[in-house]
Amino acid sequence: MGGFLATTDLPHGGEGTVSLARPTMRLQRSLRLVGSLSSGEVSTSGARRFDPSESVERGKTIVDLGNGSEVLHVPRFIPTELSWKWFDYLDRNIPWSRPTLRIFDRDSIQPRDSCYVADEGLPKISYSGHTPHAYSWNDYPPLRDILDVVHRALPGSSFNSLVLNRYGGGNDHVSWHSDEEVVYGPTPDIASVTFGCEREFLLKKKAPGASKGSCNEPARKRAKSDFVPEQHSFTLKHGSLLVMRGYTQRDWVHSVPKRAKAMSTRINLTFRCVLL
Ligand SMILES: O=C(O)CCC(=O)C(=O)O
Ligand SMILES: [Fe+2]
């Protein structure tokens, strides 16, 4: 969410990494759904029983994107069972909505559910003509536990806001965009935690001169025609962490494209720090 630079859907639905919720995972989940979960049950106990910094040290990959941008990826960040508990809690309790967005002078319904949670007193955020209501962390205690896990994994981090997205199936997606917003500062860390169906997450280098604030139209068109953007793909699994760092928002766009084979729900949480 944020500055939607290019909002066309990707032309390659169906190719590339297959985004399947493995049957064993689905079975595990339906077995667990027999009992109901209150926020207390999914709260602190499980989160305190594992060491997030150890998960990062054991299984991290750092991709240097060049020019001060990098991505940290930890495929097995939160233990599977705890991730399913959080998935179930969020799926049932978050006040999800699908706002109407204004993109290139046309109204369209956002192709996924979302919600926004933030500390009190922060400046509002807006994207594509939509200013989401900021819900309070206090109303969703497990979110504080997930935030705590992320903070323990990333020493020095201090996130104060959260965009949640829920993708109901393979048609739900987020188009190419960057979260390059003044409120996040020039080099924000954006930490993304995934629960449920795995999906492909793509990063693509912005065309030269495409950064916000550029008004050199002819130069941009000329440069664009020869420009073959570098691209990276990450499969974001159940319980994984991905952090975009440095100038990633200024120099790269990212997306979660449509995938016909993504049959089940994915919930993604992106933690951010709105500067005061
Ligand atoms: O769902 C994801 O992995 C990415 C979501 C995203 O890019 C956003 O909320 O800005
Ligand atoms: Fe984003």
Side-chain angles (χ1 to χ4, degrees):
M1 254 154 76
F4 278 63
L5 294 176
T7 47
T8 45
D9 292 345
L10 280 177
H12 49 276
E15 74 182 38
T17 312
V18 171
S19 308
L20 277 179
R22 280 179 278 143
T24 48
M25 277 195 170
R26 260 183 277 164
L27 183 63
Q28 275 177 21
R29 186 174 166 233
S30 42
L31 290 173
R32 269 194 346 277
L33 286 176
V34 172
S36 70
L37 295 159
S38 69
S39 66
E41 282 173 88
V42 286
S43 212
T44 16
S45 55
R48 282 281 160 195
R49 258 185 261 130
F50 86 104
D51 178 357
S53 53
E54 208 263 322
S55 302
V56 172
E57 280 321 304
R58 194 177 2 100
K60 71 169 178 226
T61 306
I62 294 178
V63 179
D64 183 352
L65 301 171
N67 297 316
S69 300
E70 76 172 20
V71 168
L72 166 80
H73 184 209
V74 186
R76 289 159 177 262
F77 175 53
I78 299 170
T80 305
E81 269 311 300
L82 180 58
S83 296
W84 278 124
K85 285 187 176 158
W86 277 336
F87 174 97
D88 291 335
Y89 172 82
L90 298 169
D91 197 30
R92 291 164 186 213
N93 293 285
I94 293 297
W96 299 105
S97 71
R98 241 167 227 246
T100 298
L101 306 179
R102 187 94 189 141
I103 297 167
F104 298 136
D105 292 334
R106 280 180 46 198
D107 283 343
S108 60
I109 297 175
Q110 182 179 273
R112 64 193 176 283
D113 300 319
S114 63
C115 181
Y116 180 57
V117 174
D119 285 8
E120 267 164 47
L122 292 183
K124 288 187 184 309
I125 62 157
S126 291
Y127 63 98
S128 305
H130 170 61
T131 304
H133 170 74
Y135 287 90
S136 164
W137 302 95
N138 297 339
D139 297 330
Y140 309 100
L143 289 180
R144 281 205 188 277
D145 297 324
I146 306 171
L147 175 65
D148 179 54
V149 160
V150 171
H151 280 156
R152 285 193 281 144
L154 305 171
S157 63
S158 179
F159 298 106
N160 57 15
S161 57
L162 166 65
V163 174
L164 301 97
N165 286 301
R166 180 172 68 175
Y167 304 78
N171 245 351
D172 283 4
H173 63 281
V174 61
S175 305
W176 289 117
H177 70 282
S178 74
D179 298 298
E180 184 188 18
E181 298 295 339
V182 174
V183 289
Y184 299 135
T187 55
D189 277 12
I190 297 185
S192 153
V193 173
T194 289
F195 300 121
C197 187
E198 70 184 43
R199 293 285 292 261
E200 193 179 14
F201 177 86
L202 300 174
L203 269 163
K204 182 172 77 171
K205 189 118 201 231
K206 289 183 187 176
S211 295
K212 256 188 181 175
S214 163
C215 54
N216 187 356
E217 189 62 30
R220 187 164 77 218
K221 278 197 176 137
R222 218 174 27 246
K224 250 187 184 171
S225 58
D226 311 327
F227 180 70
V228 181
E230 192 184 329
Q231 198 163 305
H232 296 266
S233 162
F234 299 86
T235 301
L236 297 190
K237 291 178 182 288
H238 179 59
S240 68
L241 170 73
L242 179 135
V243 187
M244 294 181 276
R245 285 178 170 155
Y247 289 108
T248 310
Q249 304 311 315
R250 186 193 66 184
D251 294 347
W252 295 75
V253 285
H254 54 273
S255 70
V256 175
K258 289 184 186 182
R259 286 288 179 259
K261 289 180 178 163
M263 304 289 196
S264 54
T265 304
R266 167 179 187 260
I267 293 177
N268 177 263
L269 277 54
T270 50
F271 294 92
R272 301 134 189 264
C273 182
V274 172
L275 303 176
L276 283 165

